[in-house]
Amino acid sequence: MSPPSMLGNRKDGSEIAVAENYADINWDELGFSLVPTDYMYVMKCAKGDKFSQGSIVPFGNIEISPSAGILNYGQGLFEGLKAHRTEDGHVLLFRPDENAQRMKRGADRLCMPSPSPGQFVNAVKQIVIANKRWVPPPGKGSLYIRPLLIGTGALLGVAPAPEYTFLIYCSPVGSYQKGALNLKVEDKLYRAISGCGGTGGIKSVTNYAPVYTAMADAKANGFSDVLFLDSATGKHIEEASACNVFVLKDNAISTPAIDGTILPGITRKSIIDIAIDLGYQVMERSVSVEEMLGADEMFCTGTAVVVNSVASVTYKETRVDYKTGPATLSSKLRKTLVGIQTGCLEDKKSWTVRVDSTI
Ligand code: COI
């Protein structure tokens, strides 16, 4: 066991001893459910001000007014990113600056102040260092980091909250989904309004609960997840409940374009670059249901799901099965991405950020 390193950023200025050994949990049983860790990060700011000083505090419940903006009017965003432990004992973040930029865009849309990208990445590093013993051993999973930006100030009328909280907590996780997906196309409920102007393209907390009815119905009928269509025509595919989608036909990959409805996924963006480097043609454009049903392969991407094959899609009475298994493009893309994220493959694009014990 290495000696503890120190992190000097408690509210009262005292240093926190960070144990570098592993938490005492069964690392082989990680799924995607909350495993509370030791610390979280909290930074507050009044409306019209800038975030300045945050601190690491013990993980736990937060006190909030019943009339907080987030509770009443859903003024809130979340992010998701992962830290991986490398074979040689370092911890790597994957493109945290992209999450910072996305949170900033979402904050502008929802009238909230946001931490600067520097503050965001620094806070993420602090949370990883403070919770280092919760970063799973190589090959056992990752530390899922969940930054929140929420209106915590009290108000009654519909308006931006008078106070905001930027909070980060984390949890060790394994796989989000077990095996390739069987998707049910939802043709009555929509995830987000189509086109620009809505909030489908930001990580607003309000984008997620509206998928539950369709998801519950799909799961009750034996499906793994739901695939949503565009609300304007009902003819084009958009996203599954928590991930972007791609189809492959011959050497061409297509994925719905970022048009205001589709979440600009960081995994999505990275997979596009990796696929181009592997010699595939990648198109960001509308993908019709018919085209999807005629594809050779289909897969989903997201921070939580990473890259996962779609085994089948059911649209009304039609079910189509796709290629799955180790010979798929999806498997190749996943291996490449995870290889970079875990430090096993060369990071030619400088996507990873090493978290040192002190920052
Ligand atoms: C992520 O992949 O980080 C997500 O946002 C999915 C989450 C809703 C589980």
Side-chain angles (χ1 to χ4, degrees):
M1 182 169 72
S2 350
S5 58
M6 306 304 287
L7 175 75
N9 202 20
R10 247 193 207 131
K11 221 173 191 162
D12 62 4
S14 62
E15 290 180 320
I16 297 168
V18 182
E20 297 245 349
N21 57 336
Y22 284 106
D24 186 19
I25 59 166
N26 187 345
W27 297 104
D28 291 316
E29 282 183 4
L30 287 176
F32 201 91
S33 52
L34 182 71
V35 177
T37 67
D38 301 321
Y39 296 104
M40 61 187 190
Y41 177 92
V42 180
M43 178 159 64
K44 290 182 189 262
C45 153
K47 181 177 148 204
D49 277 357
K50 286 192 158 80
F51 281 101
S52 56
Q53 183 64 45
S55 58
I56 295 282
V57 297
F59 176 83
N61 293 347
I62 56 170
E63 191 164 291
I64 192 168
S65 164
S67 69
I70 179 67
L71 296 182
N72 292 261
Y73 302 123
Q75 196 186 16
L77 295 166
F78 74 90
E79 277 299 326
L81 69 162
K82 284 175 172 171
H84 288 92
R85 202 184 283 266
T86 65
E87 289 290 346
D88 56 358
H90 297 297
V91 177
L92 299 179
L93 293 167
F94 187 70
R95 310 188 78 175
D97 49 314
E98 291 283 341
N99 295 88
Q101 301 289 354
R102 189 168 63 185
M103 179 168 268
K104 162 97 183 64
R105 292 195 300 272
D108 291 347
R109 176 69 179 82
L110 297 188
C111 265
M112 297 193 283
S114 57
S116 70
Q119 287 173 320
F120 182 104
V121 174
N122 185 278
V124 168
K125 287 179 176 172
Q126 287 191 47
I127 209 67
V128 172
I129 292 168
N131 292 293
K132 190 170 174 190
R133 70 194 190 102
W134 297 95
V135 183
K140 301 287 183 193
S142 58
L143 186 73
Y144 184 78
I145 302 157
R146 174 54 66 84
L148 297 175
L149 179 60
I150 50 180
T152 37
L155 77 171
L156 196 56
V158 174
E163 183 209 68
Y164 295 87
T165 301
F166 174 60
L167 187 153
I168 311 180
Y169 69 92
C170 59
S171 172
V173 295
S175 299
Y176 188 70
Q177 296 147 334
K178 300 269 175 270
L181 304 173
N182 293 296
L183 299 180
K184 157 101 179 0
V185 179
E186 171 59 54
D187 57 357
K188 291 182 191 64
L189 301 175
Y190 299 95
R191 180 192 157 267
I193 61 162
S194 292
C196 300
T199 57
I202 61 166
K203 234 164 153 48
S204 169
V205 297
T206 54
N207 288 345
Y208 291 82
V211 311
Y212 294 168
T213 326
M215 226 168 100
D217 182 55
K219 290 201 172 176
N221 286 293
F223 296 99
S224 347
D225 201 353
V226 183
L227 179 64
F228 290 95
L229 301 178
D230 77 285
S231 64
T233 68
K235 292 194 165 121
H236 301 98
I237 62 171
E238 291 204 326
E239 288 185 31
S241 59
C243 48
N244 296 114
V245 293
F246 287 73
V247 293
L248 170 72
K249 183 75 181 171
D250 303 322
N251 195 46
I253 300 171
S254 304
T255 189
I258 302 297
D259 64 350
T261 317
I262 305 296
L263 185 83
I266 294 154
T267 310
R268 173 190 180 279
K269 183 173 176 174
S270 309
I271 285 299
I272 290 175
D273 285 354
I274 292 172
I276 292 171
D277 287 353
L278 289 173
Y280 289 86
Q281 181 194 4
V282 183
M283 291 172 282
E284 296 181 71
R285 60 178 178 84
S286 290
V287 179
S288 69
V289 171
E290 284 68 35
E291 203 180 334
M292 169 187 71
L293 297 176
D296 300 332
E297 205 185 305
M298 182 167 179
F299 54 91
C300 295
T301 65
T303 301
V305 310
V306 190
V307 181
N308 198 4
S309 290
V310 174
S312 74
V313 162
T314 301
Y315 175 63
K316 300 186 194 284
E317 302 309 314
T318 308
R319 174 183 159 129
V320 169
D321 291 286
Y322 300 101
K323 190 170 153 189
T324 57
T328 54
L329 169 65
S330 145
S331 166
K332 194 167 167 183
L333 292 170
R334 183 186 173 101
K335 269 197 200 126
T336 310
L337 178 71
V338 173
I340 297 168
Q341 290 175 330
T342 55
C344 295
L345 291 179
E346 192 188 347
D347 175 17
K348 294 186 184 143
K349 297 185 194 294
S350 302
W351 281 342
T352 56
V353 174
R354 197 162 123 179
V355 182
D356 295 317
S357 292
T358 50
I359 49 175

